[in-house]
Amino acid sequence: MDTALGRAAPDPSMLTFIGLGLYDERSITVEGREALAAADRAFAEFYTSRLVGTTVAELEAFHDIEIDVRDRAGVERDPGPILDAAADDHVAFLTAGDTMISTTHVDLRLRAHERGIETRVIHGVSAQSAAAGLTGLQNYRFGKATTLPFPGAHGGGDVPDSVIETIEANRERDLHTLVYLDIKVDDPTADAAGLGEDERYMTGDYAADLLAENWADELGVVVARAGSPEPVVAADRLSELATRSFGGPLHLLVVPGEPHHLEAEALEALAGAPAELVADN
Amino acid sequence: MDTALGRAAPDPSMLTFIGLGLYDERSITVEGREALAAADRAFAEFYTSRLVGTTVAELEAFHDIEIDVRDRAGVERDPGPILDAAADDHVAFLTAGDTMISTTHVDLRLRAHERGIETRVIHGVSAQSAAAGLTGLQNYRFGKATTLPFPGAHGGGDVPDSVIETIEANRERDLHTLVYLDIKVDDPTADAAGLGEDERYMTGDYAADLLAENWADELGVVVARAGSPEPVVAADRLSELATRSFGGPLHLLVVPGEPHHLEAEALEALAGAPAELVADN
């Protein structure tokens, strides 16, 4: 500011990772909104997850900033433009849900760090919090989470062994499993897998149908549109959930361990679980 | 509104659970802030967790609403006043972090549901998201979480068997364990346990010292003041972490599984882990 006194101007070099939360432009924290207002430039990626309750144009209008949406290649193979911008200015990098969930973002943060760019993380609400909050299933009883891919997107059978093993290992310890459902956005392999659409979100009934091959009579809980004003939470046998329809994306599936008393009560009252299925043993 | 036409006024009976996030009055989501602004009355509890970056008076000023803070007995034994208020008005019930983390809140929600009061959940950022985000440890590699209580607050040795078993079981599956650290706030047993203070927060060094009895040379990661503008993240042997000081509350401790390549890089670059401790095997 006062170079005559040899003081340098404050260094604006900064990369702030901001989690936008789960649903729309109001899912961001107040702190995140203020950080975005203070940023010179904003980048975003929506291939690891998406805000289904809003559009990029609505986000831009709400935050009064232009958002440069990068595809997977534009973040992972070619992060240069983001890093160059952050070396000169205060740059915000936006993602749906929490930030840093994906290895992509950790990698970007490390590259910024290597270049001497200060980084900051402003957390967003994650699907994990929402899955516990909406189902009444206790947070501390969730084991390792897993992701169920579309069949054909991997080798082997309809459900990858890793998914089955994770659910089995959690069930052995009487823990709940949060199953993230596959999202195909901006994925060059999508066509090859015969999906034929630019974006495709696995639904809870589709996932329940896949898992019912192994656990037809076991309890599952579908959470649709977590973080929206009207989320749907439905608990039933996986084979039953497979026959239902839960509306628009995003969906999650939870395969619970044996519900404790209060969990059973919540699943019955708030998710319509058949009483005999969640009976306290 | 127009009773002459037989239409009833819209029923304002509503209990909205709002998670305030991790640190201060700006950690709430924009959606949560708007819901609180629309509420007729606000209750809160700060015995399951606390916002250390703000005060109730600051929260009241920021949101322009009076907040009736209830102690444990005032929520669990005597929820009547909250439910009575929600039967007549739109009531917001505030908690630090995410809401519904505690069974307390699920119970309150079920009681409201039984009385025909509409309920809604507005999620907040949880410590779990922050622990993954700040450490660079991958979210999908976290197993079941656990809570480390102050010694004397439970029977048995300094570290309860359940905590040891959780960490061991996660390590066997090569998973990370998030260890929540005990908080003593408004707890009638605090004096009996010889703590002699109204509020007491277990620090990361204290927790590392307790766990070092079993795992002195193992890697631990302390996260202090997650969600604040200047969080501290420190990775080292548990016995080393036990000798350090990490400043004000709240603190968390993570006992990681074997770090993958990118995780090791993040722990070294962002948390000061000794290279040999996180070397990719």
Side-chain angles (χ1 to χ4, degrees), chain A residues 203-243:
Chain A
T203 58
D205 47 305
Y206 187 106
D209 192 46
L210 287 176
L211 294 181
E213 290 173 25
N214 284 302
W215 297 289
D217 290 329
E218 297 297 333
L219 176 66
V221 189
V222 170
V223 179
R225 295 171 301 287
S228 80
E230 298 197 325
V232 165
V233 183
D236 209 326
R237 286 178 182 79
L238 285 164
S239 54
E240 285 296 320
L241 293 173
T243 67

Side-chain angles (χ1 to χ4, degrees), chain B residues 15-76:
Chain B
L15 182 56
T16 303
F17 293 84
I18 305 177
L20 296 174
L22 291 175
Y23 184 68
D24 67 14
E25 68 277 9
R26 290 177 164 73
S27 306
I28 194 172
T29 60
V30 171
E31 182 194 14
R33 186 182 193 177
E34 290 176 354
L36 187 47
D40 301 303
R41 291 188 62 182
F43 294 88
E45 69 80 4
F46 294 113
Y47 60 83
T48 58
S49 188
R50 250 204 64 186
L51 297 183
V52 297
T54 190
T55 63
V56 173
E58 284 170 335
L59 277 172
E60 289 180 321
F62 186 75
H63 293 293
D64 194 22
I65 192 167
E66 203 180 309
I67 298 173
D68 185 350
V69 179
R70 309 280 290 179
D71 62 11
R72 186 181 292 272
V75 176
E76 298 180 8

Side-chain angles (χ1 to χ4, degrees), chain A residues 160-179:
Chain A
D161 290 345
S162 65
V163 173
I164 294 174
E165 282 158 18
T166 295
I167 295 172
E168 289 286 12
N170 284 335
R171 284 167 59 91
E172 272 164 33
R173 291 170 66 195
D174 200 16
L175 300 177
H176 312 317
T177 306
L178 171 57
V179 183

Side-chain angles (χ1 to χ4, degrees), chain B residues 109-210:
Chain B
R109 189 174 180 210
L110 286 171
R111 285 167 189 248
H113 192 257
E114 276 164 21
R115 286 181 57 167
I117 298 164
E118 195 183 336
T119 62
R120 204 184 146 198
V121 178
I122 298 184
H123 307 285
V125 173
S126 68
Q128 210 155 7
S129 302
L134 291 172
T135 58
L137 293 169
Q138 285 305 292
N139 191 55
Y140 70 88
R141 292 194 63 210
F142 278 78
K144 174 179 165 18
T146 187
T147 298
L148 184 59
F150 281 112
H154 59 94
D158 279 352
V159 178
D161 290 345
S162 64
V163 173
I164 293 174
E165 283 159 16
T166 295
I167 295 173
E168 289 285 13
N170 283 335
R171 284 166 60 90
E172 272 166 34
R173 290 170 67 195
D174 200 18
L175 300 177
H176 312 318
T177 307
L178 171 57
V179 183
Y180 292 98
L181 306 185
D182 201 3
I183 299 178
K184 291 275 168 224
V185 180
D186 177 35
D187 185 338
T189 70
D191 286 342
L195 302 177
E197 292 174 66
D198 285 327
E199 299 186 355
R200 193 178 170 207
Y201 305 94
M202 190 185 288
T203 59
D205 47 305
Y206 187 106
D209 191 47
L210 287 175

Side-chain angles (χ1 to χ4, degrees), chain A residues 22 25-34 62 98-104 106-107 109-110 113-114 119-121 123-126 128-145 165-166 169-170 173 175 180 226-229 262 265-266 269-270, chain B residues 22 25-34 62 98-104 106-107 109-110 113-114 119-121 123-126 128-145 165-166 169-170 173 175 180 226-229 262 265-266 269-270:
Chain A
L22 292 175
E25 69 278 7
R26 290 179 164 74
S27 306
I28 194 172
T29 61
V30 172
E31 180 195 16
R33 185 182 193 177
E34 290 175 354
F62 187 74
D98 190 33
T99 183
M100 295 291 141
I101 287 290
S102 165
T103 51
T104 297
V106 178
D107 190 62
R109 189 175 179 206
L110 287 171
H113 192 258
E114 275 164 21
T119 61
R120 206 185 145 197
V121 177
H123 308 285
V125 173
S126 68
Q128 209 155 8
S129 302
L134 291 172
T135 57
L137 294 169
Q138 286 305 291
N139 190 55
Y140 70 89
R141 290 194 64 210
F142 278 79
K144 175 178 167 15
E165 282 158 18
T166 295
N170 284 335
R173 291 170 66 195
L175 300 177
Y180 292 99
S228 80
L262 194 67
E265 211 182 318
L270 307 172
Chain B
L22 291 175
E25 68 277 9
R26 290 177 164 73
S27 306
I28 194 172
T29 60
V30 171
E31 182 194 14
R33 186 182 193 177
E34 290 176 354
F62 186 75
D98 189 35
T99 183
M100 294 290 141
I101 287 290
S102 165
T103 51
T104 296
V106 178
D107 190 62
R109 189 174 180 210
L110 286 171
H113 192 257
E114 276 164 21
T119 62
R120 204 184 146 198
V121 178
H123 307 285
V125 173
S126 68
Q128 210 155 7
S129 302
L134 291 172
T135 58
L137 293 169
Q138 285 305 292
N139 191 55
Y140 70 88
R141 292 194 63 210
F142 278 78
K144 174 179 165 18
E165 283 159 16
T166 295
N170 283 335
R173 290 170 67 195
L175 300 177
Y180 292 98
S228 80
L262 195 67
E265 212 183 318
L270 306 172

Side-chain angles (χ1 to χ4, degrees), chain A residues 248-279:
Chain A
L250 301 175
H251 296 186
L252 295 168
L253 182 69
V254 180
V255 181
E258 201 65 50
H260 289 177
H261 176 67
L262 194 67
E263 294 178 318
E265 211 182 318
L267 289 175
E268 222 181 307
L270 307 172
E276 75 281 5
L277 196 58
V278 295

